[in-house]
Amino acid sequence: MTNTPSHRAEIDLSNWRTRPYSAWSFQNAAELVPSATIRSARQPETQALDLGRLSDLVVADVAGKPRPLPDFLLESDTDNFVVMRGGNFVAEWHAPASDPAKPHLVFSVSKSITGLLAGILIGQGMLSLDDRLAKHLPEAAGSAYGDATLRDLLNMQISIDFDEAYLSRDGAFDRYRRAMLWNPDKADDPAPDLKTFLCTLPKAAHPHGTRHAYRSPNVDMAAIILEQASGERFAELLSRLLWQPMGAHSDAQITVDRAGNPRASGGISMTARDLARVGELVRTGGRGIVPADWIASLWAGGDRAIWAAGDQGYAYPGGSYRNYWYDTGTGALAALGIHGQWLWIDPATQTVIVRQSSEPDPVNDRMDQTVVAVMKAVSAAS
């Protein structure tokens, strides 16, 4: 099977995030949604490793059955799997239909990338965590965002009346998907551009900064704030301040709406190896690209009490959330995306692991817990 399937003509905005089409579309999002390029400064890589001795590693699947790691990866709709140890690539695996040289949609791992870019701009004095969002975007006044601070925004502690309903085909979430051009629009209810949509979202009853509420529009708003503060488009900022200095080997992409607003909450595509390089940058303290104190804050974690009482607290007992990164409560940091996207950073074993996937369900808690166990096993065995 090639990466250009014969059923391409069947793929459109109504089905591109469903199996079997997603195995192709998650590596070709720019054919379906307008996208901006995040340019690298190096040549794309042409060589790939294999799993080496990790091929013999036995892990448990969702049902608890033992599986050799390659079988688990194939059976769990994994597309790409890459392992770094001590800064070197040591193992990788790619599904038969996957092209490791093509950028793969990483969904909400995009949030964590946005958090790093925010840290760079804050380090340059362009922004402050105490800034009110309406200072940079006056149109946000009166919405959920107007009186919130950048700190509230980056920690997912915005008081907002919005339901994160990935499969909804009506209501606010569907309107959000249509505003970002990810769902077909409706002639009788056309969606506005993304910035306009965000500025219509109402505040919830509780104060900002008191609850962890995972809401994707927060990160799209963050990207717009970064653009407003810097006077530069998100893709160009990311290329200049992170992608090229980090040494990415391939161009990345980000989907944009009809007005060019970036979909930073879930629209970035990149190769698995370049995502692993992001993880290595975080593991090694930012290397002067991202401020060291910003990276240290990620490792220190966020407010654990707010996390425990929030809508994701069950996922990582003893963990927390800060600047769009997950403190897993196990000593590892993680960045996650729906449909099975993972970046796992284990400083104890100097291991960085990337899993890019096209799982059929946006969220599968049992699979996520299985993947955590696999990440731990691979880290220990690498």
Side-chain angles (χ1 to χ4, degrees):
M1 181 178 180
T2 68
N3 203 256
T4 307
S6 59
H7 54 243
R8 168 62 183 94
E10 303 171 23
I11 305 174
D12 58 27
L13 292 181
S14 70
N15 62 19
W16 71 282
R17 299 189 305 278
T18 63
R19 296 285 296 184
Y21 307 124
S22 58
W24 178 85
S25 61
F26 286 2
Q27 289 196 320
N28 294 275
E31 280 201 28
L32 298 154
V33 185
S35 298
T37 300
I38 301 160
R39 299 204 177 277
S40 69
R42 297 194 177 187
Q43 293 298 313
E45 293 162 297
T46 58
Q47 294 182 331
L49 301 171
D50 57 26
L51 282 175
R53 61 191 181 88
L54 287 178
S55 295
D56 298 324
L57 180 66
V58 175
V59 298
D61 65 12
V62 175
K65 287 184 161 186
R67 286 281 188 275
L69 179 60
D71 292 354
F72 168 79
L73 295 174
L74 187 62
E75 294 166 5
S76 62
D77 300 306
T78 301
D79 298 323
N80 303 300
F81 190 81
V82 169
V83 182
M84 292 185 82
R85 182 69 177 266
N88 298 310
F89 290 102
V90 296
E92 58 188 299
W93 179 95
H94 305 285
S98 183
D99 181 349
K102 299 197 76 167
H104 188 291
L105 199 59
V106 296
F107 289 98
S108 288
V109 176
S110 307
K111 295 176 170 68
S112 304
I113 306 295
T114 303
L116 297 180
L117 187 56
I120 295 172
L121 293 189
I122 289 169
Q124 293 181 350
M126 292 188 184
L127 289 162
S128 166
L129 287 172
D130 295 320
D131 285 350
R132 299 285 175 181
L133 302 183
K135 170 185 175 181
H136 300 284
L137 187 68
E139 304 97 302
S143 74
Y145 297 109
D147 63 344
T149 66
L150 184 60
R151 179 181 288 103
D152 298 327
L153 194 66
L154 294 174
N155 290 336
M156 287 290 187
Q157 294 176 10
I158 294 289
S159 172
I160 185 170
D161 185 6
F162 182 82
D163 186 16
E164 189 91 354
Y166 296 114
L167 299 178
S168 175
R169 290 292 179 175
D170 55 27
F173 199 87
D174 173 64
R175 191 170 178 80
Y176 172 50
R177 288 283 205 214
R178 290 187 286 117
M180 69 179 77
L181 306 184
W182 278 38
N183 276 3
D185 210 358
K186 298 177 179 177
D188 59 346
D189 179 30
D193 66 85
L194 189 56
K195 183 194 296 185
T196 301
F197 171 79
L198 296 175
C199 291
T200 68
L201 293 175
K203 189 174 180 180
H206 63 277
H208 297 303
T210 61
R211 298 183 189 176
H212 173 80
Y214 185 93
R215 302 294 184 267
S216 288
N218 294 344
V219 191
D220 300 313
M221 175 58 72
I224 291 169
I225 296 297
L226 299 186
E227 289 191 336
Q228 293 292 117
S230 67
E232 194 170 353
R233 293 190 68 197
F234 184 90
E236 294 162 358
L237 270 175
L238 189 54
S239 173
R240 181 172 63 84
L241 296 178
L242 181 67
W243 212 239
Q244 294 192 21
M246 181 190 73
H249 277 256
S250 298
D251 290 350
Q253 297 168 333
I254 182 168
T255 68
V256 296
D257 73 355
R258 61 180 62 87
N261 294 307
R263 209 268 154 139
S265 62
I268 298 179
S269 297
M270 64 185 68
T271 66
R273 281 197 169 208
D274 280 339
L275 180 52
R277 291 185 174 97
V278 173
E280 182 64 10
L281 183 73
V282 171
R283 187 187 73 82
T284 54
R287 300 205 307 269
I289 299 168
V290 183
D293 60 349
W294 189 260
I295 298 296
S297 75
L298 302 182
W299 289 105
D303 188 309
R304 285 169 172 75
I306 287 179
W307 167 260
D311 58 10
Q312 292 182 303
Y314 67 92
Y316 299 114
S320 64
Y321 190 86
R322 189 168 189 172
N323 299 331
Y324 302 144
W325 286 79
Y326 292 89
D327 157 26
T328 66
T330 66
L333 271 181
L336 313 178
I338 59 173
H339 297 285
Q341 321 312 317
W342 285 80
L343 172 59
W344 184 268
I345 310 170
D346 181 358
T349 60
Q350 301 183 359
T351 303
V352 174
I353 307 171
V354 168
R355 177 179 182 253
Q356 296 176 324
S357 305
S358 49
E359 292 177 11
D361 298 321
V363 178
N364 184 328
D365 291 335
R366 289 186 65 190
M367 176 61 78
D368 286 348
Q369 292 306 310
T370 299
V371 171
V372 168
V374 169
M375 297 298 190
K376 290 178 179 179
V378 170
S379 293
S382 296

